[in-house]
Amino acid sequence: MEEELKCPVCGSFFREPLILPCSHNVCLPCARTIVVQTPESEHLPHAGRPLMLMGADYDFPDHLDKMSLYSETDSGYGSYTPSLKSPNGVRVLPPAPAPSLSSSSSRALHGPLCSSSSITCPQCHRSASLDERGLRGFQRNRLLETIVQRYQQERGFTPGAEGNAAAAETACGASTSARCQLCDNNPAEAAVMCEQCDVLYCSSCQKKCHPTRGPFAKHRLVPAAHITQPGPNAHRPSTANATRKFPTCADHELENYSMYCLNCRTPVCYQCLQEGKHGKHEMKALGIMWKQHKAQLSQALSGISDKAKEAKEFLVQLKSILQQIQENGLEYEACLVAQCDALVDALNRQKAKLLTKVTKEREHKFKVVWDQINHCTLKLRQSTGLMEYCLEVIKENDPSGFLQISDALIKRVQSSQEQWVKGALEPKVSPEFDLTLDNEPLLQAIHQLDFIQMKFPITVPPVPLLQLEKCCTRNNSVTLAWRMPPFTHNPVDGYILELDDGDGGPFREVYLGKETLCTIDGLHFNSTYNARVKAFNSTGLGPYSKTVVLQTSDVAFFTFDPNAAHRDIVLSNENMTATCSSYDDRVVLGTAAFSKGIHYWEIQVDRYDNHPDPAFGVARINVVKDMMLGKDDKAWAMYVDNNRSWFMHCNSHTNRAEGGVCKGTTVGILLDLVKRLLIFHIDGKQQGPIAFENIEGVFMPAVSLNRNVQVTLHTGLEVPMIYRQTKPQN
């Protein structure tokens, strides 16, 4: 993050940073060194003609480099060509002694700067014109200043020490006591400094040139008792330690920021609105915009944080590739030496050449990977520094200061995230050496022996790799995922997924296609399945992958199925509750299908009016749904009224038992496909088991009811212990 906190001109920590129109920052002392002014005729001043630099006139000698300021389609931006360089590589104006000022030049000091005065950003090289306020027209980045101070304190830096050392190298010079800038000869010690004029005054010059009345009444005068005078190129000491409790408007010193102008994208005060400058602009509360921009910045940071994490993992991968390249290179060298030694004297003449080519190949791969590591490390460092800086900005509780820089930071974060383009985190080279030695030629052709580029013949695909972190089970379905190993040269036309029967039986094909993710439904509950996959192409079938073991759920979780219900059935409560809109009995099935094991579920009667006969049981998928459950040969059920119950299948009523249902009754259904039993109970009282005879296939939970009944389904229940010893009854 330290790079974010240093001025691009002097290379030191920011001192009184200003926000330029391009959203970059620059120190106030450094800003003075890069402010330039050209006449309106766009010609440079000749020798002896003064050029104003923020409050002082300078005579530029003939030998200075030429400077230019030009328009770029009236955008307000331009460029310049200054003549000296700072230690940080940014060109700045050369130092020049400050001559004495006449009374006319003193008046010019307080007059408006002409339109040709400009400052050029040292980072993006775009220029912006200055208004009559000069550098004071740019907003001060208080958040950045606070973060710099905190950063220096946390790391034991002496505030300003690094800046003073760097400034001595660039142009700021050694500090002396503050002196008046308007005295003609032997400047007296300064008494005050005007923050708006950016000029130091002694008591006499202050009374003459800067009275506390008229247009100067609102100017802020700072005592200069403890202010030190910078070198010849700077005219205002650092006042970074003089902080305000509440930030005030730059145009109205007595007013605090309260609103945010969406048109100008800047905080404003109440008086700014009253004076009409922002009267017709769209405004929002400062606090609301502060929170909104913080949220946007935090959201943008999440993206770059993910990319930074991927970059770190990518660096680990690249370093692993380096190791693989080293190992594979040594392996190839050893193999090559063995082959060359076997060819005796004739091969020795070619051995050195072949070793050289292997070494060059390894060095080439090393160079490519190291270049990629260095490039990725640089990007990661920049992204991490920006991310840490943004997090420090988010910690600040200065809404107006935050909003001054939030847009720029959001754009920077988004731009930084866009740098991680697709493919940027992929190795450019393979650790494998695409070389093969042709040792077949006869002895007389040994002098032609050379490496040939490996052209892989089309062979069967390699073993697929199962992605265990993506393989899972849910209810009676399993999901499997796989991929091919990296750097696979052989084409793959598709995959074959095989599954056993859950009892350790033979494998069977359950999927054939090009996808690498597959879900198989309709398996047995409480069963263990083995799965494997292999790839194929035009050459043939590849080898099987390792076998993965998947366990389906012990108990079934299911709901009523709206796609397997009569149209008069009304479902609610996420398809767990059912009723009917008709007075006739209608059937609804569950979403689960059973063909093996023991399963138990319960149905609670929520409403029971006028003594209807609801039926509960199991059925085939093709059961008739417009009559009572059990009247056809596709269902086995118990129907019940308020006093008694009967078992019914193929419209045959048997096993009448006492005990009916009412509101609040719970009906339990046990399906035992091991012992071929169907057992019911009403409020804990068993109604007796029904024995299936020679019945195979798939059964689904089922209910039939009319509009006088409403029931709720409860699933995922363990089988009651009492039923585990139940014996069939005829």
Side-chain angles (χ1 to χ4, degrees):
M1 183 179 70
E2 187 169 318
E3 294 181 2
E4 296 285 337
L5 307 181
K6 289 187 176 181
C7 174
V9 177
C10 63
S12 303
F13 288 110
F14 280 107
R15 294 163 294 155
E16 300 180 79
L18 301 179
I19 305 175
L20 300 181
C22 58
S23 300
H24 291 126
N25 299 280
V26 66
C27 292
L28 177 58
C30 297
R32 296 191 185 100
T33 67
I34 59 176
V35 172
V36 296
Q37 176 181 351
T38 57
E40 294 183 359
S41 60
E42 296 188 1
H43 293 295
L44 283 174
H46 53 75
R49 182 172 182 178
L51 176 66
M52 181 175 290
L53 274 178
M54 286 309 297
D57 293 341
Y58 293 94
D59 291 333
F60 281 83
D62 293 334
H63 67 273
L64 291 184
D65 291 347
K66 292 183 178 181
M67 296 177 289
S68 64
L69 180 69
Y70 58 90
S71 171
E72 295 181 357
T73 62
D74 296 330
S75 65
Y77 293 107
S79 66
Y80 74 107
T81 310
S83 58
L84 297 182
K85 287 189 177 180
S86 73
N88 202 37
V90 180
R91 300 175 68 89
V92 299
L93 288 174
S100 62
L101 297 176
S102 63
S103 59
S104 60
S105 63
S106 174
R107 289 191 299 271
L109 176 66
H110 303 293
L113 292 171
C114 65
S115 59
S116 60
S117 298
S118 66
I119 184 171
T120 301
C121 176
Q123 290 184 276
C124 64
H125 306 296
R126 292 191 295 178
S127 296
S129 300
L130 304 180
D131 58 17
E132 65 276 2
R133 296 175 295 175
L135 291 176
R136 286 296 168 186
F138 297 136
Q139 298 184 22
R140 186 165 166 179
N141 195 337
R142 297 188 303 275
L143 256 66
L144 177 57
E145 194 170 2
T146 302
I147 293 173
V148 168
Q149 293 175 359
R150 183 168 62 243
Y151 183 84
Q152 291 177 317
Q153 292 172 359
E154 290 175 352
R155 285 155 181 79
F157 290 108
T158 300
E162 182 184 355
N164 291 337
E169 297 177 4
T170 55
C172 292
S175 296
T176 61
S177 60
R179 296 289 175 177
C180 177
Q181 295 178 279
L182 299 184
C183 292
D184 292 335
N185 298 314
N186 298 324
E189 185 175 353
V192 294
M193 181 190 69
C194 177
E195 287 191 342
Q196 282 68 35
C197 300
D198 197 29
V199 175
L200 291 163
Y201 299 93
C202 64
S203 299
S204 176
C205 293
Q206 187 263 324
K207 293 178 181 178
K208 295 177 182 178
C209 304
H210 198 289
T212 56
R213 63 180 182 274
F216 303 117
K218 293 185 178 180
H219 285 204
R220 181 185 295 273
L221 298 178
V222 179
H226 302 289
I227 296 177
T228 57
Q229 177 79 30
N233 283 334
H235 308 284
R236 181 187 168 187
S238 173
T239 57
N241 294 329
T243 58
R244 300 188 182 104
K245 185 176 180 180
F246 297 102
T248 58
C249 178
D251 297 326
H252 309 97
E253 294 289 334
L254 301 179
E255 296 291 338
N256 293 329
Y257 290 118
S258 59
M259 301 295 289
Y260 182 78
C261 178
L262 296 179
N263 299 73
C264 302
R265 308 187 74 82
T266 183
V268 296
C269 67
Y270 176 76
Q271 194 168 346
C272 291
L273 302 179
Q274 293 294 323
E275 292 179 355
K277 180 179 179 181
H278 303 275
K280 295 183 179 180
H281 292 179
E282 185 179 356
M283 298 288 172
K284 278 195 176 182
L286 191 66
I288 294 177
M289 292 303 297
W290 177 41
K291 294 180 180 179
Q292 180 178 336
H293 282 226
K294 269 198 173 184
Q296 292 177 3
L297 180 58
S298 299
Q299 184 176 4
L301 276 177
S302 63
I304 192 175
S305 176
D306 294 339
K307 292 299 181 182
K309 181 179 179 181
E310 293 180 14
K312 291 179 180 178
E313 296 174 351
F314 179 59
L315 287 174
V316 174
Q317 181 184 359
L318 289 178
K319 292 177 181 179
S320 174
I321 290 176
L322 284 177
Q323 181 64 26
Q324 294 178 43
I325 291 174
Q326 176 69 17
E327 294 174 356
N328 293 339
L330 294 175
E331 180 181 351
Y332 270 87
E333 287 182 358
C335 179
L336 178 62
V337 170
Q339 291 177 341
C340 289
D341 289 343
L343 296 177
V344 201
D345 296 335
L347 292 177
N348 286 331
R349 291 190 295 268
Q350 296 294 327
K351 181 170 63 174
K353 296 180 181 180
L354 297 175
L355 283 173
T356 300
K357 290 189 177 183
V358 172
T359 302
K360 287 183 178 180
E361 179 69 9
R362 184 178 74 249
E363 290 175 352
H364 169 71
K365 290 179 179 289
F366 264 112
K367 183 179 182 303
V368 171
V369 175
W370 271 118
D371 289 345
Q372 204 169 1
I373 287 177
N374 293 334
H375 181 68
C376 185
T377 301
L378 177 61
K379 280 188 177 181
L380 177 62
R381 185 181 64 191
Q382 293 173 348
S383 299
T384 304
L386 178 59
M387 182 169 58
E388 292 177 356
Y389 169 58
C390 291
L391 292 175
E392 290 297 327
V393 170
I394 291 177
K395 293 178 183 178
E396 294 302 315
N397 295 320
D398 182 355
S400 60
F402 179 86
L403 293 174
Q404 287 175 343
I405 62 175
S406 58
D407 286 325
L409 284 179
I410 292 171
K411 291 179 181 178
R412 286 186 63 192
V413 170
Q414 293 173 344
S415 175
S416 179
Q417 183 178 357
E418 292 172 358
Q419 290 180 358
W420 302 97
V421 296
K422 184 177 180 181
L425 299 181
E426 296 178 359
K428 292 184 178 180
V429 296
S430 166
E432 304 294 332
F433 280 63
D434 299 337
L435 302 170
T436 186
L437 182 65
D438 184 13
N439 58 356
E440 296 296 330
L442 298 175
L443 187 60
Q444 59 267 28
I446 287 181
H447 67 281
Q448 298 177 349
L449 185 65
D450 197 357
F451 281 115
I452 62 172
Q453 189 70 24
M454 183 177 292
K455 295 182 179 179
F456 295 95
I458 298 179
T459 59
V460 296
V463 178
L465 302 178
L466 288 168
Q467 296 182 277
L468 299 180
E469 70 278 5
K470 296 182 180 180
C471 297
C472 61
T473 63
R474 185 179 183 275
N475 260 353
N476 61 335
S477 65
V478 298
T479 299
L480 294 106
W482 60 90
R483 63 178 177 85
M484 296 304 294
F487 310 118
T488 299
H489 301 282
N490 297 321
V492 176
D493 295 336
Y495 302 93
I496 297 175
L497 176 63
E498 295 182 355
L499 205 69
D500 67 2
D501 60 359
D503 283 330
F507 283 92
R508 57 189 175 90
E509 183 180 309
V510 294
Y511 172 75
L512 173 65
K514 296 183 177 182
E515 298 297 329
T516 57
L517 182 72
C518 181
T519 298
I520 302 100
D521 298 315
L523 302 177
H524 299 308
F525 285 90
N526 194 23
S527 299
T528 301
Y529 288 89
N530 296 295
R532 63 187 184 184
V533 64
K534 61 183 177 181
F536 65 87
N537 58 20
S538 58
T539 304
L541 297 172
Y544 284 107
S545 67
K546 294 181 178 180
T547 300
V548 61
V549 180
L550 299 168
Q551 173 74 37
T552 56
S553 176
D554 293 340
V555 295
F557 293 87
F558 59 92
T559 66
F560 290 121
D561 188 354
N563 298 317
H566 192 277
R567 61 178 178 272
D568 292 338
I569 293 293
V570 179
L571 300 180
S572 59
N573 187 26
E574 298 181 349
N575 295 334
M576 297 299 291
T577 299
T579 187
C580 184
S581 61
S582 172
Y583 284 106
D584 296 322
D585 290 311
R586 302 296 188 230
V587 173
V588 57
L589 303 180
T591 55
F594 305 119
S595 60
K596 178 184 175 183
I598 303 174
H599 309 281
Y600 178 76
W601 64 96
E602 293 180 348
I603 297 177
Q604 180 176 331
V605 180
D606 302 327
R607 179 169 53 82
Y608 186 80
D609 303 326
N610 302 322
H611 309 303
D613 298 328
F616 313 94
V618 295
R620 307 284 194 190
I621 185 64
N622 57 345
V623 65
V624 178
K625 297 183 178 67
D626 58 358
M627 60 184 181
M628 180 183 290
L629 191 68
K631 285 193 174 184
D632 64 355
D633 62 348
K634 302 296 190 297
W636 293 259
M638 174 190 73
Y639 76 93
V640 58
D641 59 15
N642 61 321
N643 292 318
R644 295 172 296 276
S645 64
W646 294 263
F647 294 106
M648 184 163 64
H649 173 64
C650 290
N651 205 23
S652 173
H653 306 253
T654 60
N655 294 34
R656 190 182 81 171
E658 297 299 323
V661 297
C662 61
K663 180 179 179 180
T665 296
T666 298
V667 178
I669 302 98
L670 174 75
L671 177 62
D672 187 346
L673 294 174
V674 178
K675 299 178 180 179
R676 320 300 300 170
L677 297 177
L678 181 62
I679 304 173
F680 301 90
H681 74 74
I682 300 176
D683 287 336
K685 180 180 179 182
Q686 183 172 325
Q687 300 302 102
I690 297 178
F692 289 87
E693 295 181 0
N694 300 323
I695 299 297
E696 300 288 342
V698 178
F699 301 90
M700 307 180 73
V703 174
S704 69
L705 42 75
N706 63 17
R707 66 182 303 165
N708 292 316
V709 183
Q710 176 176 300
V711 297
T712 296
L713 180 64
H714 298 278
T715 64
L717 306 176
E718 294 286 346
V719 176
M721 183 61 67
I722 188 175
Y723 292 138
R724 299 182 185 180
Q725 290 84 28
T726 302
K727 296 181 180 180
Q729 296 179 6
N730 296 325

